[in-house]
mmCIF file of all heavy atoms in Angstrom:
data_model
loop_
_atom_site.group_PDB
_atom_site.id
_atom_site.type_symbol
_atom_site.label_atom_id
_atom_site.label_comp_id
_atom_site.label_asym_id
_atom_site.label_seq_id
_atom_site.Cartn_x
_atom_site.Cartn_y
_atom_site.Cartn_z
ATOM 1 N N GLY A 27 73.287 94.914 85.522
ATOM 2 C CA GLY A 27 72.004 95.005 86.161
ATOM 3 C C GLY A 27 70.817 95.613 85.400
ATOM 4 O O GLY A 27 69.765 95.837 86.011
ATOM 5 N N GLY A 28 71.043 96.094 84.196
ATOM 6 C CA GLY A 28 69.909 96.704 83.489
ATOM 7 C C GLY A 28 69.367 96.020 82.210
ATOM 8 O O GLY A 28 68.619 96.625 81.541
ATOM 9 N N ALA A 29 69.994 94.865 81.894
ATOM 10 C CA ALA A 29 69.504 94.137 80.831
ATOM 11 C C ALA A 29 67.975 93.876 80.646
ATOM 12 O O ALA A 29 67.403 94.124 79.579
ATOM 13 C CB ALA A 29 70.265 92.834 80.629
ATOM 14 N N GLU A 30 67.460 93.379 81.731
ATOM 15 C CA GLU A 30 66.049 93.231 81.714
ATOM 16 C C GLU A 30 65.238 94.440 81.447
ATOM 17 O O GLU A 30 64.260 94.447 80.686
ATOM 18 C CB GLU A 30 65.523 92.451 82.991
ATOM 19 C CG GLU A 30 64.079 92.114 82.906
ATOM 20 C CD GLU A 30 63.681 91.291 84.148
ATOM 21 O OE1 GLU A 30 64.448 91.060 85.036
ATOM 22 O OE2 GLU A 30 62.408 91.001 84.259
ATOM 23 N N ARG A 31 65.649 95.490 82.107
ATOM 24 C CA ARG A 31 64.981 96.726 81.994
ATOM 25 C C ARG A 31 65.042 97.363 80.559
ATOM 26 O O ARG A 31 64.156 97.840 79.849
ATOM 27 C CB ARG A 31 65.577 97.781 83.062
ATOM 28 C CG ARG A 31 64.828 99.103 82.935
ATOM 29 C CD ARG A 31 65.250 100.100 84.076
ATOM 30 N NE ARG A 31 66.730 100.085 84.155
ATOM 31 C CZ ARG A 31 67.409 99.729 85.296
ATOM 32 N NH1 ARG A 31 66.796 99.284 86.316
ATOM 33 N NH2 ARG A 31 68.719 99.720 85.269
ATOM 34 N N ASP A 32 66.261 97.014 79.898
ATOM 35 C CA ASP A 32 66.544 97.565 78.566
ATOM 36 C C ASP A 32 65.603 96.772 77.546
ATOM 37 O O ASP A 32 65.041 97.351 76.737
ATOM 38 C CB ASP A 32 68.008 97.274 78.160
ATOM 39 C CG ASP A 32 68.982 98.179 78.912
ATOM 40 O OD1 ASP A 32 68.497 99.236 79.394
ATOM 41 O OD2 ASP A 32 70.129 97.703 78.973
ATOM 42 N N TRP A 33 65.595 95.423 77.885
ATOM 43 C CA TRP A 33 64.771 94.612 77.016
ATOM 44 C C TRP A 33 63.222 94.924 77.041
ATOM 45 O O TRP A 33 62.590 95.125 76.076
ATOM 46 C CB TRP A 33 64.883 93.115 77.298
ATOM 47 C CG TRP A 33 64.178 92.200 76.408
ATOM 48 C CD1 TRP A 33 62.903 91.718 76.414
ATOM 49 C CD2 TRP A 33 64.761 91.695 75.154
ATOM 50 N NE1 TRP A 33 62.609 90.956 75.256
ATOM 51 C CE2 TRP A 33 63.734 90.976 74.522
ATOM 52 C CE3 TRP A 33 65.974 91.805 74.539
ATOM 53 C CZ2 TRP A 33 64.003 90.272 73.342
ATOM 54 C CZ3 TRP A 33 66.255 91.137 73.363
ATOM 55 C CH2 TRP A 33 65.176 90.413 72.730
ATOM 56 N N LEU A 34 62.724 95.185 78.272
ATOM 57 C CA LEU A 34 61.329 95.575 78.394
ATOM 58 C C LEU A 34 61.078 96.961 77.782
ATOM 59 O O LEU A 34 59.965 97.098 77.160
ATOM 60 C CB LEU A 34 60.960 95.486 79.888
ATOM 61 C CG LEU A 34 60.998 94.161 80.535
ATOM 62 C CD1 LEU A 34 60.788 94.306 82.092
ATOM 63 C CD2 LEU A 34 59.979 93.229 79.935
ATOM 64 N N ALA A 35 61.984 97.884 77.980
ATOM 65 C CA ALA A 35 61.738 99.212 77.314
ATOM 66 C C ALA A 35 61.754 99.060 75.791
ATOM 67 O O ALA A 35 60.908 99.663 75.090
ATOM 68 C CB ALA A 35 62.813 100.126 77.763
ATOM 69 N N ALA A 36 62.575 98.191 75.288
ATOM 70 C CA ALA A 36 62.650 97.995 73.864
ATOM 71 C C ALA A 36 61.420 97.350 73.437
ATOM 72 O O ALA A 36 60.817 97.752 72.210
ATOM 73 C CB ALA A 36 63.984 97.100 73.465
ATOM 74 N N GLU A 37 60.850 96.417 74.109
ATOM 75 C CA GLU A 37 59.619 95.694 73.704
ATOM 76 C C GLU A 37 58.512 96.813 73.608
ATOM 77 O O GLU A 37 57.733 96.787 72.587
ATOM 78 C CB GLU A 37 59.156 94.631 74.640
ATOM 79 C CG GLU A 37 59.915 93.441 74.543
ATOM 80 C CD GLU A 37 59.413 92.334 75.580
ATOM 81 O OE1 GLU A 37 58.895 92.688 76.581
ATOM 82 O OE2 GLU A 37 59.762 91.146 75.257
ATOM 83 N N ARG A 38 58.504 97.732 74.575
ATOM 84 C CA ARG A 38 57.416 98.759 74.634
ATOM 85 C C ARG A 38 57.557 99.577 73.230
ATOM 86 O O ARG A 38 56.623 100.007 72.742
ATOM 87 C CB ARG A 38 57.485 99.583 75.921
ATOM 88 C CG ARG A 38 56.960 98.835 77.050
ATOM 89 C CD ARG A 38 56.723 99.752 78.227
ATOM 90 N NE ARG A 38 57.932 100.337 78.714
ATOM 91 C CZ ARG A 38 58.825 99.770 79.527
ATOM 92 N NH1 ARG A 38 58.602 98.604 80.077
ATOM 93 N NH2 ARG A 38 59.958 100.366 79.936
ATOM 94 N N MET A 39 58.872 100.097 73.046
ATOM 95 C CA MET A 39 59.079 100.792 71.830
ATOM 96 C C MET A 39 58.595 100.061 70.558
ATOM 97 O O MET A 39 57.937 100.704 69.695
ATOM 98 C CB MET A 39 60.489 101.202 71.598
ATOM 99 C CG MET A 39 61.115 102.051 72.614
ATOM 100 S SD MET A 39 62.841 102.215 72.429
ATOM 101 C CE MET A 39 63.386 103.213 73.732
ATOM 102 N N ILE A 40 58.939 98.857 70.443
ATOM 103 C CA ILE A 40 58.635 98.095 69.236
ATOM 104 C C ILE A 40 57.057 97.868 69.158
ATOM 105 O O ILE A 40 56.462 97.953 68.109
ATOM 106 C CB ILE A 40 59.378 96.834 69.121
ATOM 107 C CG1 ILE A 40 60.888 97.006 69.145
ATOM 108 C CG2 ILE A 40 58.982 95.958 67.877
ATOM 109 C CD1 ILE A 40 61.260 98.092 68.146
ATOM 110 N N ASP A 41 56.505 97.462 70.355
ATOM 111 C CA ASP A 41 55.075 97.351 70.414
ATOM 112 C C ASP A 41 54.271 98.550 70.001
ATOM 113 O O ASP A 41 53.142 98.462 69.557
ATOM 114 C CB ASP A 41 54.596 96.830 71.838
ATOM 115 C CG ASP A 41 54.974 95.355 72.023
ATOM 116 O OD1 ASP A 41 55.341 94.710 71.018
ATOM 117 O OD2 ASP A 41 55.009 95.011 73.170
ATOM 118 N N ALA A 42 54.918 99.677 70.093
ATOM 119 C CA ALA A 42 54.239 100.909 69.861
ATOM 120 C C ALA A 42 54.184 101.245 68.356
ATOM 121 O O ALA A 42 53.517 102.207 67.956
ATOM 122 C CB ALA A 42 54.869 102.209 70.542
ATOM 123 N N LEU A 43 54.931 100.531 67.540
ATOM 124 C CA LEU A 43 54.815 100.665 66.109
ATOM 125 C C LEU A 43 53.512 100.305 65.501
ATOM 126 O O LEU A 43 52.776 99.515 66.054
ATOM 127 C CB LEU A 43 55.795 99.597 65.454
ATOM 128 C CG LEU A 43 57.347 99.915 65.634
ATOM 129 C CD1 LEU A 43 58.129 98.743 65.164
ATOM 130 C CD2 LEU A 43 57.689 101.227 64.994
ATOM 131 N N PRO A 44 53.087 101.104 64.574
ATOM 132 C CA PRO A 44 51.782 100.919 63.914
ATOM 133 C C PRO A 44 51.735 99.466 63.334
ATOM 134 O O PRO A 44 52.684 98.951 62.976
ATOM 135 C CB PRO A 44 51.701 101.934 62.845
ATOM 136 C CG PRO A 44 52.757 102.905 63.073
ATOM 137 C CD PRO A 44 53.813 102.203 63.913
ATOM 138 N N ALA A 45 50.487 98.846 63.365
ATOM 139 C CA ALA A 45 50.328 97.518 62.787
ATOM 140 C C ALA A 45 50.713 97.551 61.409
ATOM 141 O O ALA A 45 50.364 98.509 60.636
ATOM 142 C CB ALA A 45 48.917 97.070 62.969
ATOM 143 N N GLY A 46 51.302 96.457 60.863
ATOM 144 C CA GLY A 46 51.561 96.349 59.545
ATOM 145 C C GLY A 46 52.820 96.833 59.002
ATOM 146 O O GLY A 46 53.132 96.837 57.834
ATOM 147 N N VAL A 47 53.603 97.442 59.925
ATOM 148 C CA VAL A 47 54.942 98.006 59.586
ATOM 149 C C VAL A 47 55.892 96.809 59.456
ATOM 150 O O VAL A 47 56.184 96.278 60.532
ATOM 151 C CB VAL A 47 55.405 99.121 60.496
ATOM 152 C CG1 VAL A 47 56.763 99.541 60.081
ATOM 153 C CG2 VAL A 47 54.362 100.268 60.508
ATOM 154 N N GLY A 48 56.374 96.542 58.316
ATOM 155 C CA GLY A 48 57.361 95.427 58.166
ATOM 156 C C GLY A 48 58.797 95.933 58.331
ATOM 157 O O GLY A 48 58.984 97.153 58.382
ATOM 158 N N VAL A 49 59.651 95.030 58.488
ATOM 159 C CA VAL A 49 61.054 95.351 58.693
ATOM 160 C C VAL A 49 61.550 96.223 57.645
ATOM 161 O O VAL A 49 62.202 97.256 57.910
ATOM 162 C CB VAL A 49 61.910 94.065 58.856
ATOM 163 C CG1 VAL A 49 63.356 94.433 58.981
ATOM 164 C CG2 VAL A 49 61.443 93.285 60.050
ATOM 165 N N GLU A 50 61.193 95.992 56.410
ATOM 166 C CA GLU A 50 61.671 96.739 55.275
ATOM 167 C C GLU A 50 61.142 98.200 55.305
ATOM 168 O O GLU A 50 61.783 99.168 54.791
ATOM 169 C CB GLU A 50 61.315 96.192 53.927
ATOM 170 C CG GLU A 50 60.010 96.104 53.624
ATOM 171 C CD GLU A 50 59.226 95.044 54.303
ATOM 172 O OE1 GLU A 50 59.823 94.136 54.922
ATOM 173 O OE2 GLU A 50 57.963 94.918 54.097
ATOM 174 N N ARG A 51 60.156 98.423 55.937
ATOM 175 C CA ARG A 51 59.565 99.764 56.083
ATOM 176 C C ARG A 51 59.635 100.353 57.509
ATOM 177 O O ARG A 51 59.107 101.356 57.791
ATOM 178 C CB ARG A 51 58.015 99.782 55.716
ATOM 179 C CG ARG A 51 57.787 99.432 54.128
ATOM 180 C CD ARG A 51 56.403 99.540 53.850
ATOM 181 N NE ARG A 51 55.620 100.646 54.579
ATOM 182 C CZ ARG A 51 54.452 100.554 55.007
ATOM 183 N NH1 ARG A 51 53.842 99.401 54.977
ATOM 184 N NH2 ARG A 51 53.875 101.598 55.597
ATOM 185 N N TYR A 52 60.397 99.659 58.282
ATOM 186 C CA TYR A 52 60.530 100.026 59.735
ATOM 187 C C TYR A 52 61.180 101.381 59.934
ATOM 188 O O TYR A 52 62.187 101.703 59.403
ATOM 189 C CB TYR A 52 61.473 98.989 60.472
ATOM 190 C CG TYR A 52 61.818 99.465 61.841
ATOM 191 C CD1 TYR A 52 60.781 99.496 62.858
ATOM 192 C CD2 TYR A 52 63.092 99.624 62.280
ATOM 193 C CE1 TYR A 52 61.072 99.977 64.151
ATOM 194 C CE2 TYR A 52 63.406 100.047 63.477
ATOM 195 C CZ TYR A 52 62.436 100.169 64.426
ATOM 196 O OH TYR A 52 62.816 100.462 65.665
ATOM 197 N N GLU A 53 60.434 102.263 60.597
ATOM 198 C CA GLU A 53 60.973 103.595 60.985
ATOM 199 C C GLU A 53 60.841 103.613 62.458
ATOM 200 O O GLU A 53 59.735 103.520 63.057
ATOM 201 C CB GLU A 53 60.056 104.604 60.338
ATOM 202 C CG GLU A 53 60.557 106.007 60.653
ATOM 203 C CD GLU A 53 61.992 106.293 60.114
ATOM 204 O OE1 GLU A 53 62.322 105.886 59.017
ATOM 205 O OE2 GLU A 53 62.778 106.998 60.876
ATOM 206 N N PRO A 54 62.001 103.749 63.224
ATOM 207 C CA PRO A 54 61.927 103.606 64.690
ATOM 208 C C PRO A 54 61.063 104.694 65.217
ATOM 209 O O PRO A 54 61.025 105.860 64.694
ATOM 210 C CB PRO A 54 63.426 103.728 65.143
ATOM 211 C CG PRO A 54 64.207 104.043 63.891
ATOM 212 C CD PRO A 54 63.246 103.827 62.682
ATOM 213 N N PRO A 55 60.421 104.480 66.365
ATOM 214 C CA PRO A 55 59.707 105.569 67.072
ATOM 215 C C PRO A 55 60.672 106.755 67.373
ATOM 216 O O PRO A 55 61.927 106.508 67.481
ATOM 217 C CB PRO A 55 59.164 104.898 68.375
ATOM 218 C CG PRO A 55 59.351 103.506 68.133
ATOM 219 C CD PRO A 55 60.389 103.262 67.118
ATOM 220 N N HIS A 56 60.227 107.894 67.584
ATOM 221 C CA HIS A 56 61.023 109.098 67.787
ATOM 222 C C HIS A 56 61.979 108.853 68.835
ATOM 223 O O HIS A 56 63.200 109.236 68.713
ATOM 224 C CB HIS A 56 60.124 110.274 68.249
ATOM 225 C CG HIS A 56 60.849 111.544 68.499
ATOM 226 N ND1 HIS A 56 61.488 112.162 67.424
ATOM 227 C CD2 HIS A 56 61.160 112.237 69.609
ATOM 228 C CE1 HIS A 56 62.180 113.271 67.987
ATOM 229 N NE2 HIS A 56 61.907 113.287 69.331
ATOM 230 N N GLY A 57 61.706 108.304 70.060
ATOM 231 C CA GLY A 57 62.614 108.041 71.043
ATOM 232 C C GLY A 57 63.802 107.110 70.763
ATOM 233 O O GLY A 57 64.942 107.356 71.100
ATOM 234 N N LEU A 58 63.467 106.158 69.958
ATOM 235 C CA LEU A 58 64.484 105.213 69.437
ATOM 236 C C LEU A 58 65.363 105.856 68.352
ATOM 237 O O LEU A 58 66.569 105.713 68.346
ATOM 238 C CB LEU A 58 63.890 103.931 68.916
ATOM 239 C CG LEU A 58 64.817 102.801 68.530
ATOM 240 C CD1 LEU A 58 65.775 102.457 69.687
ATOM 241 C CD2 LEU A 58 64.088 101.606 68.111
ATOM 242 N N ARG A 59 64.642 106.676 67.518
ATOM 243 C CA ARG A 59 65.503 107.476 66.524
ATOM 244 C C ARG A 59 66.534 108.333 67.241
ATOM 245 O O ARG A 59 67.691 108.441 66.855
ATOM 246 C CB ARG A 59 64.626 108.408 65.729
ATOM 247 C CG ARG A 59 63.933 107.635 64.498
ATOM 248 C CD ARG A 59 63.464 108.627 63.569
ATOM 249 N NE ARG A 59 62.648 109.516 64.051
ATOM 250 C CZ ARG A 59 61.205 109.463 64.185
ATOM 251 N NH1 ARG A 59 60.670 108.343 63.836
ATOM 252 N NH2 ARG A 59 60.676 110.486 64.673
ATOM 253 N N LEU A 60 66.189 108.978 68.295
ATOM 254 C CA LEU A 60 67.142 109.821 69.038
ATOM 255 C C LEU A 60 68.237 108.929 69.574
ATOM 256 O O LEU A 60 69.373 109.318 69.624
ATOM 257 C CB LEU A 60 66.422 110.591 70.113
ATOM 258 C CG LEU A 60 65.418 111.684 69.698
ATOM 259 C CD1 LEU A 60 64.715 112.244 70.873
ATOM 260 C CD2 LEU A 60 66.204 112.766 68.843
ATOM 261 N N LEU A 61 67.781 107.756 70.141
ATOM 262 C CA LEU A 61 68.738 106.799 70.806
ATOM 263 C C LEU A 61 69.727 106.345 69.825
ATOM 264 O O LEU A 61 71.005 106.282 70.159
ATOM 265 C CB LEU A 61 67.992 105.693 71.390
ATOM 266 C CG LEU A 61 68.639 104.716 72.204
ATOM 267 C CD1 LEU A 61 69.312 105.365 73.417
ATOM 268 C CD2 LEU A 61 67.775 103.582 72.634
ATOM 269 N N ILE A 62 69.370 105.894 68.630
ATOM 270 C CA ILE A 62 70.289 105.367 67.662
ATOM 271 C C ILE A 62 70.969 106.391 66.752
ATOM 272 O O ILE A 62 71.735 106.038 65.990
ATOM 273 C CB ILE A 62 69.754 104.172 66.939
ATOM 274 C CG1 ILE A 62 68.591 104.634 66.066
ATOM 275 C CG2 ILE A 62 69.332 103.071 67.921
ATOM 276 C CD1 ILE A 62 67.916 103.577 65.233
ATOM 277 N N GLY A 63 70.454 107.636 66.902
ATOM 278 C CA GLY A 63 70.998 108.754 65.992
ATOM 279 C C GLY A 63 70.637 108.634 64.598
ATOM 280 O O GLY A 63 71.192 109.184 63.676
ATOM 281 N N ARG A 64 69.453 107.986 64.271
ATOM 282 C CA ARG A 64 68.946 107.850 62.907
ATOM 283 C C ARG A 64 68.147 109.101 62.514
ATOM 284 O O ARG A 64 67.301 109.569 63.244
ATOM 285 C CB ARG A 64 68.103 106.618 62.732
ATOM 286 C CG ARG A 64 67.546 106.409 61.410
ATOM 287 C CD ARG A 64 66.845 105.043 61.382
ATOM 288 N NE ARG A 64 66.348 104.867 60.063
ATOM 289 C CZ ARG A 64 65.631 103.838 59.687
ATOM 290 N NH1 ARG A 64 65.371 102.823 60.607
ATOM 291 N NH2 ARG A 64 65.228 103.715 58.448
#
């Protein structure tokens, strides 16, 4: 029951990335870094 909520939260995190950050230079936002342990 939480898949849609997870997807929308993930979209917000990724949308918050600065413009022009490519995948090779991707540094997750602080909240996502904590989430994935990076």
Side-chain angles (χ1 to χ4, degrees):
E30 184 177 356
R31 185 175 44 245
D32 295 336
W33 188 269
L34 294 173
E37 282 183 338
R38 286 190 299 273
M39 288 178 186
I40 301 307
D41 286 345
L43 290 172
V47 174
V49 173
E50 67 279 353
R51 292 182 41 221
Y52 171 65
E53 183 61 38
H56 179 70
L58 185 54
R59 277 196 307 270
L60 293 175
L61 183 63
I62 63 176
R64 184 171 178 184

